[in-house]
Amino acid sequence: MARRTTSSSTGSTPGPRNRTPQPLPRRRRTFGDFAKATAAFVALLVLLVGVPGALVVSVGWPLPHGAPSLDWLQQEITVGTFINVLTVIVWFAWAQFTACVLVEVKAALSGVGLPNRVPGAGPSQLLARQLVAALLLVGATAASFAPGLSQLGQSLEGNQRGTVAAAQQTPGGLFAQQQEQAASSAAAALAEQAAEAASHADAGSGHAAQEGDTKYYRIHPPEGRHHDSLWEIAERHLGDGRRYKEIYQLNKDRTQPDGSKLSEASLIRPGWILEMPGDAHGGDLVELPDEAPKVSEQVQQQIHDYAKTGDYQQGGGQQGGGAGDRDTAHIHLPHQRPGGDQGVGRGGDQRHEQGASHASDSSAAEESGFSFGLPETLVGAPLLAAGLLGALGRRRRQALWQSALGAVGGRRGMEPPVPTGSAADAQDALLVGADPEGVRLLDLSLRGLAAALAAESRPLPTVYAAWLSGNGDLHLQLAQPAGKPPAPWQLGQDQTFWMLARADAERYEDVDTAAPYPGLVSLGTMDDSRLLLNLESVPGIVSLSGSASDRAGVFASVAAELATNGWSDRMTITLVGFGEDLTPLAPNRLRHLDDVEALVETMEAETRQRRGALGAAGHDSVLTGRTGPAQHTRWAPHLVLLAAEPSAEDAVKLAELAADASRLGIGYLVGTESGDLPGAAWEMEITGEGKLLAPLLGLELDAQSLPVAQQRAVVELFVEADPERESTNSAAPPFLVDISEQGRPAVYARLVGPYEIIGLDTPDGERSPLMHEALALLLLHREGVHPRVLSSALWPRGVTDDVRDALVERLRGWLGTDPDGTARLGTDATGRLTLAKSVVSDLDVLRSLYHEATQGKGVDSRAVRGRLLTDALVLVRGPLLADRPAGRYGWLTHEIIDAQLPLLVADIGLALSAFHLEKDRAEKAIEALDAALNSAPADERLWNELLRATHTTGDGDRMKRLAADLVARSGARGLPPRTEALLDELLPTWRSGVAAVG
């Protein structure tokens, strides 16, 4: 499928402004640089010369002058002996440090690979590396450290003279579109990250012709111990060492005279030919054929053969405004397979529902009589909505559990706060838009791929992007071909696409492996496919231009999805210049910094730490680390989101930090007003119409965004659910029923246990399951259910408005009217569907009985309290909707009723047990606790109260049997600390008793 670019879509619109990338501003050596180098020289002089000199002068020879004998063991240990021992230790430390210095100097001068590790010299070698780097900061050999230590400064012009030969090239060929994919190795990604930002080439404009003919450089053998490097070549012939990336881009993966290829920017060999940018100068320039005698015929032939391997020979020049991305592979849209049904419904309405989706539901919402303003940005972001909804559910469950464990004298905060206003709309939008099944399959697919590759001892390929097609297939776009994927994955449209069909993904099972690509995040949709960009793998900075408000929406969406997504294990997201109010979404993941200065300081330290950790572990990148034995504890990504445009100086610092970021698991997304951000590897733009443009990546997306109003509404949901926040809610549930004889309901549904309905005729056979499910949803949400929430719950894959409306009318007719003529299914002022008070469930009665027993009439009457608590416990017949059919009621995964109901039953059991123990009726108390344990078997409070009640019987054997039972229930985790401490108090011999019973 042809990729889409701005120029192609706009006709005469000029090419994108980032087609001629800007070079990084050159960082001049300052007085501070010379001061650091001087200090490093003095420190090295003191450590390498001063220390041994001082030892020789002050101590002399520390070892014995004769052969060892047994008499030494009987001699008295004097101060001199102690000093001699210390002197030997210092000599060994000096020797080790000297070896470290030699190793670091050799690596710096050679420019090949990373320094060797000196055994047991971690801190010493780190100190040596820093001193040598500082010393070379103003020397020519500092280039040998590039790009790993490029942030330390520029090198002076080297003293090695090379030979440059110039040969004719097809006009425009230098700027032809590269068809090869970017290399996946860490060094290749490092070199690629700033190729566009540092390039002086003007794609498709004939710039080469203006600067002169294409030139070629032949690498000569080293002179002495000095080896040439791309950095030094760029420094001498292009005037800026950072432009080594241009040379690398022109020559990577092209066959050299010796048959090998340039695949890492730091590894070049004598005899290789390098194509140079058109503005190269200096050295021994040779214009062929006029000055052919300056080079041998063999070299002329090598250059001639090498010229044939360039891009202009491979694919021709790029015409017009469609200049190719010389930086990385294009993010191609994968070819789509013919899709099947996208929304086959259930029950008797299947003929109406084929092809429906959330998108059609959203677009037609305003035409429906039930519609009102749901935040469409959340409705149209299924992965983001699923992550937020899952995180919100976990937050609410945590609040319930903390309330239960911390309650004194009864439960408080049983019911989470019911959102209102914009927060209620945001929650409804999350319920409508969420695709938890899509998130689950994405997570299973990625982890399954990692496990399969690990089983074959294959590394994880570098993935730039993932596409989720309209039919649910997953396409991974690789940085370069990585061979045949493991089954059931298949090759996609070419060697750089791996594809997994949804049907194959559904057969995956959970595997115990680390998340391989936690940096994937949704950016938007194109042609019914959703793009997830892997920020962690981008070789450098990703810049985002556009108006401040439009950028803020994209940044907030990226931050919220990264913080709550379901396909990552651990990560750190640093927000700078925005997002302080977003931290409640995930306090353990989101971190806010005030300014760029704090960011640079933090990231410099982390970059050093990660480089050292990767080197110590022997890994090339975080991808290899995630498949090793420490996969679950290392290599969590760190993604930096900087909304405000940094200054030119800060931009250079960030570019230097990002040079090696992709292999370290660090990603940078940086905002810019102008779009010209130094060091940006990939440039994107958000328009006022909601389009996300990246012409050089071939992208034009309908952007995923989270505007300020929706941000505030979503954050309000999380703040209200914060377990540390003091609840202002009344302890009363939101809906209480009349539990007297006069309050007998017209329709009574039993949900706690098997589903039964009393007071209504059973609907037609085909429609009955759908009607029952709709009624259950309404009964669990007495505050009201938006029609779009109802339809998305019953038809997760989408449904048309007429089918939804028909269901609502059918449901209204089934429920009927009250004696006064009021319909039992109504619509409130906000457009939500609500049930009349004459339609109740046993859950409503259960809550009302407990509330009345503990806060109503039962407070002043012991007899009333006992009767109400007993009646409540009798209502508990099992788990909620115990016999619900498989494949239905998927919306329950969004609810917290599965946590609320066991806690409510436990509270009733505890209250009834306390009621009986007040009159020393231990057996009755035990009976109540056993009944509650049937529905809340994991509630530690019930265990502890059962131990106390059993202890009052004075039956030691019964206590031992109970202890053994609790140990068996606890499984491999063991007894909770509080239960274990209680057993130690009530039955000190319980451990031996448990062993005897076992």
Side-chain angles (χ1 to χ4, degrees):
M1 178 176 294
R3 46 177 196 278
R4 300 164 59 181
T5 65
T6 298
S7 53
S8 63
S9 62
T10 58
S12 61
T13 301
R17 60 174 172 270
N18 59 347
R19 188 161 295 140
T20 304
Q22 298 299 316
L24 287 170
R26 181 168 181 176
R27 181 177 165 190
R28 301 292 182 182
R29 291 180 297 277
T30 65
F31 175 77
D33 294 333
F34 287 98
K36 290 179 182 178
T38 303
F41 175 76
V42 172
L44 285 172
L45 190 65
V46 170
L47 293 173
L48 296 180
V49 179
V51 169
L55 290 175
V56 170
V57 172
S58 61
V59 180
W61 182 255
L63 299 177
H65 295 279
S69 66
L70 295 177
D71 294 340
W72 289 3
L73 302 177
Q74 300 175 356
Q75 293 180 359
E76 180 181 0
I77 298 178
T78 63
V79 174
T81 305
F82 182 72
I83 292 176
N84 286 337
V85 171
L86 287 179
T87 302
V88 171
I89 295 174
V90 174
W91 272 109
F92 275 117
W94 173 84
Q96 185 186 57
F97 178 76
T98 302
C100 293
V101 172
L102 294 176
V103 166
E104 295 296 328
V105 170
K106 178 180 181 298
L109 295 178
S110 67
V112 179
L114 295 174
N116 295 323
R117 293 178 57 198
V118 177
S124 297
Q125 189 164 7
L126 178 60
L127 175 62
R129 182 174 304 162
Q130 293 173 340
L131 292 176
V132 171
L135 179 62
L136 298 179
L137 184 65
V138 294
T141 52
S144 302
F145 281 85
L149 295 176
S150 60
Q151 68 271 23
L152 294 176
Q154 303 277 356
S155 64
L156 295 174
E157 183 169 314
N159 56 6
Q160 181 184 359
R161 299 173 58 85
T163 301
V164 177
Q168 295 293 331
Q169 176 178 303
T170 304
L174 175 62
F175 309 107
Q177 175 184 343
Q178 287 191 306
Q179 300 299 322
E180 298 178 353
Q181 300 294 329
S184 64
S185 66
L190 169 67
E192 293 167 3
Q193 65 86 28
E196 180 183 344
S199 174
H200 287 277
D202 188 2
S205 64
H207 182 65
Q210 299 173 12
E211 295 289 348
D213 295 331
T214 304
K215 303 170 180 65
Y216 293 89
Y217 176 86
R218 185 172 184 270
I219 302 172
H220 282 202
E223 299 179 0
R225 298 195 307 170
H226 186 90
H227 293 254
D228 214 347
S229 69
L230 292 184
W231 183 285
E232 289 182 316
I233 295 171
E235 185 74 23
R236 291 194 304 270
H237 303 298
L238 298 176
D240 188 347
R242 285 192 178 91
R243 293 187 64 189
Y244 80 92
K245 308 172 185 82
E246 295 177 54
I247 305 175
Y248 174 80
Q249 284 294 315
L250 289 173
N251 297 277
K252 70 183 180 71
D253 296 332
R254 292 170 64 178
T255 303
Q256 293 290 338
D258 62 0
S260 57
K261 296 180 180 181
L262 175 64
S263 60
E264 296 189 20
S266 59
L267 299 180
I268 58 176
R269 301 176 184 176
W272 280 9
I273 304 296
L274 298 178
E275 180 180 337
M276 299 289 288
D279 61 339
H281 60 274
D284 297 328
L285 290 175
V286 177
E287 296 288 341
L288 297 179
D290 296 340
E291 300 184 20
K294 289 190 176 183
V295 294
S296 66
E297 293 184 3
Q298 180 184 9
V299 173
Q300 293 181 44
Q301 185 61 41
Q302 288 176 349
I303 294 175
H304 177 74
D305 294 340
Y306 188 73
K308 296 179 180 179
T309 67
D311 290 338
Y312 61 95
Q313 297 289 346
Q314 300 296 327
Q318 180 76 15
Q319 300 297 326
D325 177 17
R326 303 183 51 79
D327 172 69
T328 59
H330 283 261
I331 307 299
H332 298 286
L333 179 68
H335 295 314
Q336 300 300 303
R337 303 185 311 159
D341 291 343
Q342 296 299 305
V344 177
R346 296 177 288 202
D349 299 304
Q350 294 183 6
R351 64 185 182 278
H352 298 288
E353 299 155 21
Q354 295 186 4
S357 64
H358 285 306
S360 64
D361 189 23
S362 302
S363 62
E366 297 304 323
E367 301 175 5
S368 167
F370 298 106
S371 178
F372 68 99
L374 282 186
E376 299 301 325
T377 53
L378 292 174
V379 173
L383 303 184
L384 170 61
L388 289 170
L389 206 56
L392 182 60
R394 290 190 295 272
R395 182 71 56 84
R396 287 173 172 171
R397 287 180 174 86
Q398 185 181 4
L400 283 174
W401 293 329
Q402 287 192 209
S403 178
L405 294 176
V408 178
R411 287 273 292 119
R412 292 295 182 267
M414 168 62 73
E415 300 297 329
V418 177
T420 58
S422 59
D425 293 345
Q427 178 172 277
D428 285 341
L430 294 177
L431 290 167
V432 171
D435 182 14
E437 181 65 9
V439 171
R440 187 184 73 87
L441 292 179
L442 176 61
D443 184 41
L444 287 177
S445 301
L446 296 177
R447 292 181 194 268
L449 174 63
L453 289 172
E456 298 177 7
S457 299
R458 295 172 60 185
L460 287 167
T462 300
V463 169
Y464 280 153
W467 289 94
L468 283 174
S469 64
N471 57 14
D473 296 345
L474 173 62
H475 302 255
L476 297 183
Q477 186 165 354
L478 313 184
Q480 69 172 5
K484 183 179 179 180
W489 289 78
Q490 305 172 21
L491 284 174
Q493 62 197 49
D494 57 40
Q495 294 289 323
T496 62
F497 274 97
W498 285 3
M499 190 273 290
L500 182 69
R502 182 185 178 96
D504 293 327
E506 290 172 345
R507 289 193 285 269
Y508 263 122
E509 298 180 354
D510 290 330
V511 292
D512 184 21
T513 189
Y517 304 113
L520 287 169
V521 64
S522 303
L523 291 185
T525 58
M526 178 195 293
D527 296 344
D528 198 31
S529 291
R530 183 167 300 277
L531 171 68
L532 290 87
L533 184 67
N534 190 3
L535 287 178
E536 185 188 25
S537 73
V538 176
I541 291 174
V542 179
S543 70
L544 178 66
S545 61
S547 69
S549 59
D550 292 332
R551 292 202 319 266
V554 175
F555 271 96
S557 172
V558 170
E561 184 168 301
L562 289 172
T564 61
N565 71 42
W567 54 88
S568 303
D569 295 323
R570 300 174 301 113
M571 68 168 58
T572 299
I573 304 132
T574 297
L575 312 180
V576 186
F578 82 108
E580 186 173 7
D581 56 340
L582 292 176
T583 52
L585 300 182
N588 294 330
R589 285 192 180 186
L590 289 172
R591 176 178 64 178
H592 179 267
L593 295 180
D594 294 331
D595 50 40
V596 180
E597 182 179 355
L599 173 67
V600 171
E601 181 180 354
T602 300
M603 298 314 298
E604 283 179 344
E606 181 159 347
T607 299
R608 288 194 300 268
Q609 188 273 333
R610 290 200 174 212
R611 281 177 180 159
L614 275 178
H619 296 313
D620 296 329
S621 72
V622 295
L623 289 181
T624 55
R626 286 184 187 142
T627 58
Q631 55 180 308
H632 291 291
T633 57
R634 293 184 179 179
W635 323 125
H638 186 166
L639 303 175
V640 176
L641 308 181
L642 173 58
E645 181 171 11
S647 65
E649 182 180 358
D650 289 334
V652 172
K653 293 178 181 178
L654 289 175
E656 292 172 347
L657 287 172
D660 201 22
S662 60
R663 77 179 188 94
L664 302 177
I666 303 175
Y668 293 85
L669 177 62
V670 180
T672 172
E673 290 285 348
S674 62
D676 298 324
L677 185 69
W682 291 353
E683 296 187 357
M684 300 186 297
E685 177 186 0
I686 178 67
T687 70
E689 294 74 32
K691 294 290 185 180
L692 189 68
L693 308 178
L696 293 183
L697 298 179
L699 297 178
E700 183 176 335
L701 305 172
D702 293 322
Q704 178 172 297
S705 179
L706 190 61
V708 174
Q710 278 71 64
Q711 293 177 40
R712 292 172 179 168
V714 169
V715 169
E716 182 181 343
L717 291 172
F718 279 80
V719 171
E720 289 292 329
D722 187 353
E724 302 297 331
R725 186 172 183 267
E726 185 176 353
S727 176
T728 57
N729 266 17
S730 168
F735 178 74
L736 296 175
V737 300
D738 185 352
I739 56 177
S740 67
E741 285 294 328
Q742 292 74 25
R744 186 179 298 275
V747 178
Y748 180 64
R750 304 178 74 180
L751 305 179
V752 184
Y755 192 178
E756 300 176 15
I757 297 180
I758 301 172
L760 291 176
D761 295 331
T762 303
D764 296 342
E766 291 184 353
R767 293 174 176 151
S768 179
L770 202 62
M771 304 280 278
H772 279 69
E773 187 173 356
L775 180 57
L777 177 62
L778 290 165
L779 284 167
L780 292 177
H781 290 276
R782 304 300 308 216
E783 73 277 9
V785 176
H786 190 281
R788 292 175 68 183
V789 174
L790 178 66
S791 61
S792 65
L794 300 180
W795 295 281
R797 298 178 68 180
V799 69
T800 54
D801 291 347
D802 59 333
V803 174
R804 179 193 63 197
D805 298 347
L807 170 72
V808 172
E809 290 305 317
R810 198 175 297 119
L811 187 61
R812 182 175 284 115
W814 180 45
L815 291 174
T817 59
D818 284 334
D820 60 0
T822 303
R824 291 172 181 151
L825 177 62
T827 304
D828 66 9
T830 65
R832 289 174 170 82
L833 301 171
T834 58
L835 291 173
K837 293 185 177 181
S838 58
V839 183
V840 302
S841 70
D842 54 355
L843 186 59
D844 298 326
V845 176
L846 189 66
R847 289 167 169 160
S848 300
L849 288 170
Y850 177 67
H851 178 263
E852 191 68 20
T854 57
Q855 300 178 54
K857 297 178 180 178
V859 174
D860 300 322
S861 174
R862 171 181 169 79
V864 171
R865 182 167 73 253
R867 176 175 56 81
L868 293 174
L869 291 173
T870 302
D871 290 345
L873 201 55
V874 169
L875 287 177
V876 181
R877 302 174 300 127
L880 188 77
L881 299 168
D883 59 351
R884 62 180 181 267
R888 293 193 181 277
Y889 297 87
W891 47 270
L892 280 173
T893 59
H894 302 316
E895 308 286 339
I896 64 168
I897 185 62
D898 60 330
Q900 287 176 291
L901 182 57
L903 288 175
L904 177 59
V905 173
D907 285 346
I908 294 171
L910 291 170
L912 188 55
S913 171
F915 172 81
H916 289 304
L917 287 177
E918 288 175 1
K919 296 296 184 179
D920 297 325
R921 294 196 291 262
E923 294 299 335
K924 288 288 187 181
I926 293 172
E927 182 181 346
L929 293 169
D930 283 335
L933 279 168
N934 289 332
S935 295
D939 198 306
E940 182 187 353
R941 298 172 302 154
L942 292 175
W943 291 16
N944 295 346
E945 196 60 28
L946 185 58
L947 284 172
R948 294 187 180 97
T950 304
H951 182 261
T952 61
T953 65
D955 189 339
D957 292 337
R958 190 173 182 179
M959 280 289 292
K960 291 179 181 178
R961 290 194 297 272
L962 176 57
D965 179 57
L966 295 182
V967 170
R969 291 192 189 194
S970 63
R973 294 177 301 175
L975 289 173
R978 294 182 182 181
T979 303
E980 190 171 347
L982 182 60
L983 269 173
D984 287 336
E985 177 186 349
L986 301 180
L987 187 65
T989 61
W990 69 274
R991 290 179 173 83
S992 59
V994 166
V997 172

